[in-house]
Amino acid sequence: MSDSHIILEKVVYLRGQRCIFDEVSIEIPRGKIVAVMGPSGAGKTTLLKLIGGQIQPESGSVRVDGLEIPRLSRKQLFDVRKTMGMMFQSGALFSDLSVFENVAFPLRIHTNLPDDMIRDLVLLKLQSVGLRGARRLFPSELSGGMSRRVALARAIALDPEIIMYDEPFTGLDPIAMGVIVDLIKTLNSAYGTTSIIVSHDIPETAGIADIIYIISGGKVIGSGSPKELFEQDSPRVHQFIKGLPDGPVPFHYPADDYEEELMRVPDAERLF
Amino acid sequence: MLSRLRRIGQYSLVALATLGRAGHIWWQAIWRRPRLRNLPLLIRQIYQLGVLSVLIIAMSGFSIGAVLALQGYNQLVKYGSESALGLGVALVLVMEIGPVVSGLLFAGRAGSAVTAEIGLMKATEQLSSMEMMGVDPLQRIVAPRLWAGFIVMPILALMFSIIGIWGASLVGVDWLGVYEGAFWSAMQEGVDFRSHVLKGIIKSVVFGIVVTWIAVFQGYDTIPTSEGIAAATTRTVVYSAVAVLVLDFFLTLVMFNF
Amino acid sequence: MQIRSIEIIVGTFMLAGIVSLIVLAVQISGFNVGTETGTYSVYARFENISGLVIRSKVSIGGVMVGQVADIELDPDTYTALVRMEIDGDVDTISTDSTAAILTDGLLGGKYIGLILGAEEEYLTDGDVVLDTQSAIVLEELIGKFLLKQF
């Protein structure tokens, strides 16, 4: 791991009183697919926002290509972001623009290319996600899988060095899921982009990731290749990978003792 | 007692922080050099905020003008001075009702739409994704709307006044039979451009800025859920209405030398 | 094409705004953008101007020929010195004309009415109208009337 593209070192991030990250350190090597996994609410999306500089950590460092993200000026930050593409969970397509204009958006903003060149580039990107034919549709007319593919086309419009996927598999039917998995793999091998996947879908992620980090309770509880993780015997990792309902990560939200609560006088419960 | 004091302190801190965020957004959006390539965005917003409000402005202006003429005539005819009807209606419309009522209508029609639109953009991560693409949503989303409100509001208020006066003349002259010459000449003589019309325009400009500012901020600062957007939309209308009425009082106080 | 039509509509809207402004200025507030022939100043002293203000109209036979430009108290005589700006094309007001402060209707505003004299010399810039009638103050009238009654 000599060439690390993104390094997070002892990152602490608080949301209100709650500690989302407690000295989390993650290294993402160049050109690899790295997955960050963990139960819902473990702050996986927060991680992407930290890398994109949308939020600042309490302490610790976030470096992209050696640049200290939290210290950058607004302008420098916007320059760094041009090298990043991000695919949001909901697609986050601009609802007032057509599919074509959505993909063209970053090109129009950041380049001075003539219109016919932008057209060729957009069609190329749409072709690579298989939606060239849908370019005149509007986001409201797309299915979940399609809008995510358009979002992917938009994310790669500027040929970024880093692509971040926020829950790319959630809520998709098996076919759409297969399409997305394939796309991520192809994009990574074809362009050599560093890919970060944030997800809790184990089989799909494990199928394409080179390295997996598992975050839970604000800490990295396990990391390594998918194979290594499956063989690990740490009970927390074990529970997550195997998808067991109860274990070190409790099934129950913290509550009073069940039996005791049932026996309590009902009118003491001031619900209304 | 101590806890109450503490709560008051907390509320005022929250209020100050909110004001700070609102000011920050305004500053960031307005005091950046407007770019020529963003002109189509501005035109789109003028369409959204202005053109689409014309119908409601016209209808309300006509009704209010007509009502003013009816009521005014009833009072003035007692003193035999119904020839002052045109003057009275015109003054009231140009200085007060034109700017204020069109400000209120603008808040309800355009302000709420702006809040809901920006709130929805936030909820669907469109603002976030814009930021990740290296585009400042303050410049692309917020600034055109602020400028549009600034431009559109005085136009709407002027239209309101004129349609109102026209409505009043229909009722007063054509129906109630006020002598037409007196109606218009008393108006032309009594209404002064600089000390009445211009002050009304200044009011409407201020209302336009404040209402769009509130609307944009409420959308931008909303909690990105459906309840959050609903609450923010309501707040936009309520805050804008109160702001317009309170500001009207102070502007009148300052501009008309009391 | 769609963008085009929006541009046209918005343009129409802005144009309507400008037209509204012009209508308000000309039709409603009687903002005179017509021929400006210049004015000349004529002075008059009144004992009481009650309610006459700057920009009040000056008329001859009910036709507006100018407006009140300035009102100040003459410190020597304690009378009100009123400066009227008379339209330049009304240049045949004889020097023995009378200036009276009149009321527009029972409750209307005050204005100055000029009643022409017979002299063949005409007022020019800076001249003073010597014969004046002060405003009728409603309260004084009522007061006199009441005194007579009792």
Side-chain angles (χ1 to χ4, degrees):
Chain A
M1 280 199 205
S2 53
D3 189 16
S4 293
H5 201 162
I6 303 168
I7 302 172
L8 279 84
E9 225 171 67
K10 293 191 175 165
V11 169
V12 177
Y13 182 74
L14 306 172
R15 186 179 294 146
Q17 302 293 322
R18 215 157 73 88
C19 187
I20 306 287
F21 292 131
D22 184 12
E23 303 214 331
V24 165
S25 299
I26 290 176
E27 269 190 50
I28 295 165
R30 196 178 294 275
K32 293 274 192 303
I33 301 180
V34 174
V36 178
M37 312 193 69
S40 311
K44 301 183 301 272
T45 309
T46 312
L47 185 84
L48 296 185
K49 286 191 171 169
L50 279 169
I51 295 173
Q54 285 187 299
I55 51 177
Q56 261 91 47
E58 211 70 27
S59 66
S61 91
V62 180
R63 284 199 298 277
V64 176
D65 258 336
L67 291 168
E68 187 66 48
I69 292 292
R71 295 240 185 80
L72 294 181
S73 72
R74 214 175 155 78
K75 181 162 183 327
Q76 289 171 310
L77 188 62
F78 276 57
D79 284 341
V80 173
R81 283 183 188 157
K82 286 180 203 166
T83 68
M84 300 178 183
M86 181 152 171
M87 190 180 102
F88 284 83
Q89 187 174 352
S90 58
L93 298 176
F94 302 132
S95 41
D96 55 339
L97 298 179
S98 68
V99 164
F100 180 92
E101 284 302 321
N102 259 290
V103 180
F105 183 82
L107 294 168
R108 291 197 201 283
I109 294 289
H110 290 307
T111 69
N112 286 318
L113 296 176
D115 266 0
D116 52 337
M117 210 134 130
I118 286 183
R119 194 186 104 92
D120 293 349
L121 275 171
V122 171
L123 292 185
L124 180 79
K125 302 296 175 189
L126 280 174
Q127 173 73 9
S128 66
V129 297
L131 288 177
R132 192 164 46 86
R135 64 176 179 274
R136 284 197 187 85
L137 298 182
F138 275 80
S140 54
E141 301 168 292
L142 301 176
S143 72
M146 281 162 86
S147 54
R148 228 169 274 185
R149 273 148 73 192
V150 175
L152 186 53
R154 189 177 64 178
I156 60 172
L158 287 171
D159 295 321
E161 295 162 27
I162 303 165
I163 306 180
M164 298 187 265
Y165 303 89
D166 187 4
E167 303 281 6
F169 312 119
T170 317
L172 292 185
D173 62 80
I175 300 172
M177 188 125 66
V179 171
I180 296 277
V181 167
D182 239 36
L183 277 174
I184 295 176
K185 229 186 327 193
T186 324
L187 284 173
N188 178 255
S189 56
Y191 301 108
T193 38
T194 308
S195 309
I196 309 167
I197 303 173
V198 152
S199 173
H200 50 237
D201 292 284
I202 296 144
E204 290 75 22
T205 315
I208 50 173
D210 297 311
I211 302 166
I212 296 181
Y213 283 87
I214 297 179
I215 298 182
S216 178
K219 297 217 179 263
V220 175
I221 56 169
S223 64
S225 69
K227 206 163 148 245
E228 283 166 14
L229 280 179
F230 274 109
E231 284 160 6
Q232 239 181 51
D233 45 348
S234 150
R236 299 176 71 120
V237 175
H238 189 73
Q239 184 199 352
F240 186 77
I241 292 279
K242 296 277 157 62
L244 305 174
D246 215 349
V249 179
F251 168 65
H252 292 289
Y253 194 83
D256 296 339
D257 187 63
Y258 189 40
E259 199 175 327
E260 191 188 304
E261 193 158 358
L262 282 179
M263 297 305 288
R264 231 183 270 160
V265 197
D267 66 16
E269 194 113 353
R270 273 187 257 141
L271 273 173
F272 301 103
Chain B
M1 182 62 202
L2 206 62
S3 74
R4 192 174 301 166
L5 256 180
R6 181 184 297 156
R7 204 173 314 149
I8 291 172
Q10 267 169 0
Y11 276 136
S12 35
L13 279 184
V14 168
L16 272 181
T18 310
L19 199 64
R21 285 201 304 279
H24 177 78
I25 282 177
W26 196 69
W27 185 261
Q28 289 281 333
I30 289 291
W31 295 108
R32 209 83 63 68
R33 187 167 48 91
R35 299 219 183 117
L36 202 62
R37 78 198 302 182
N38 284 350
L39 192 67
L41 296 176
L42 177 64
I43 289 177
R44 215 190 149 79
Q45 288 312 314
I46 293 181
Y47 178 78
Q48 292 278 347
L49 301 186
V51 175
L52 295 183
S53 306
V54 166
L55 190 64
I56 185 176
I57 288 284
M59 279 163 51
S60 319
F62 184 83
S63 317
I64 287 187
V67 164
L68 281 177
L70 281 176
Q71 297 281 20
Y73 180 81
N74 266 343
Q75 299 306 315
L76 288 172
V77 82
K78 291 178 192 162
Y79 306 102
S81 31
E82 65 268 26
S83 59
L85 183 65
L87 172 63
V89 169
L91 276 184
V92 164
L93 275 171
V94 165
M95 295 194 303
E96 287 298 333
I97 295 190
V100 170
V101 175
S102 53
L104 295 177
L105 293 172
F106 182 71
R109 160 69 192 68
S112 58
V114 164
T115 304
E117 192 189 10
I118 295 184
L120 212 62
M121 282 182 173
K122 187 177 180 183
T124 53
E125 295 178 304
Q126 290 182 43
L127 296 183
S128 235
S129 75
M130 206 172 263
E131 220 169 273
M132 282 304 295
M133 277 184 251
V135 178
D136 190 347
L138 285 176
Q139 236 185 27
R140 207 178 155 83
I141 303 292
V142 171
R145 284 168 175 75
L146 285 174
W147 282 112
F150 172 74
I151 294 169
V152 148
M153 191 54 226
I155 296 181
L156 291 178
L158 286 175
M159 286 179 173
F160 187 99
S161 299
I162 284 181
I163 293 170
I165 292 170
W166 176 61
S169 81
L170 279 189
V171 170
V173 175
D174 298 341
W175 181 17
L176 298 174
V178 174
Y179 173 54
E180 188 176 359
F183 184 89
W184 291 108
S185 65
M187 191 187 296
Q188 285 171 6
E189 209 166 290
V191 180
D192 184 60
F193 186 76
R194 223 178 313 157
S195 55
H196 301 135
V197 178
L198 204 62
K199 285 175 181 172
I201 293 176
I202 292 174
K203 276 186 181 179
S204 60
V205 169
V206 173
F207 296 160
I209 293 173
V210 170
V211 169
T212 33
W213 183 21
I214 290 175
V216 159
F217 172 70
Q218 289 296 344
Y220 204 77
D221 206 50
T222 184
I223 301 156
T225 60
S226 39
E227 294 89 0
I229 294 172
T233 312
T234 311
R235 272 202 303 274
T236 293
V237 176
V238 173
Y239 290 179
S240 306
V242 172
V244 164
L245 294 171
V246 170
L247 274 173
D248 181 50
F249 174 72
F250 284 108
L251 285 174
T252 308
L253 207 63
V254 171
M255 287 196 303
F256 293 90
N257 306 320
F258 284 104
Chain C
M1 207 55 212
Q2 211 215 341
I3 296 290
R4 248 306 208 282
S5 64
I6 278 185
E7 282 172 7
I8 292 167
I9 294 171
V10 168
T12 315
F13 174 75
M14 302 287 279
L15 192 69
I18 295 167
V19 170
S20 305
L21 187 67
I22 294 172
V23 168
L24 261 183
V26 177
Q27 176 74 12
I28 313 284
S29 70
F31 198 71
N32 210 347
V33 277
T35 49
E36 197 68 28
T37 48
T39 57
Y40 63 97
S41 294
V42 172
Y43 295 86
R45 283 202 174 77
F46 295 96
E47 291 197 349
N48 194 332
I49 58 161
S50 124
L52 191 76
V53 292
I54 289 172
R55 291 183 59 85
S56 290
K57 69 173 181 179
V58 177
S59 68
I60 297 174
V63 180
M64 182 169 166
V65 295
Q67 60 180 10
V68 172
D70 200 13
I71 299 172
E72 57 187 47
L73 187 68
D74 186 335
D76 299 328
T77 58
Y78 291 104
T79 51
L81 183 61
V82 174
R83 185 166 69 86
M84 295 170 270
E85 278 177 350
I86 311 289
D87 293 346
D89 49 355
V90 185
D91 52 2
T92 52
I93 304 171
S94 49
T95 48
D96 61 342
S97 297
T98 308
I101 296 181
L102 305 170
T103 310
D104 209 358
L106 185 58
L107 299 167
K110 297 276 192 283
Y111 69 100
I112 294 181
L114 292 176
I115 300 142
L116 296 189
E119 199 67 51
E120 290 197 5
E121 272 178 58
Y122 303 128
L123 289 172
T124 52
D125 191 49
D127 284 355
V128 178
V129 180
L130 296 172
D131 189 9
T132 63
Q133 284 173 19
S134 287
I136 298 164
V137 181
L138 207 56
E139 291 90 327
E140 282 176 9
L141 265 185
I142 295 169
K144 278 179 196 162
F145 176 72
L146 287 177
L147 269 177
K148 274 181 203 160
Q149 292 281 309
F150 301 106

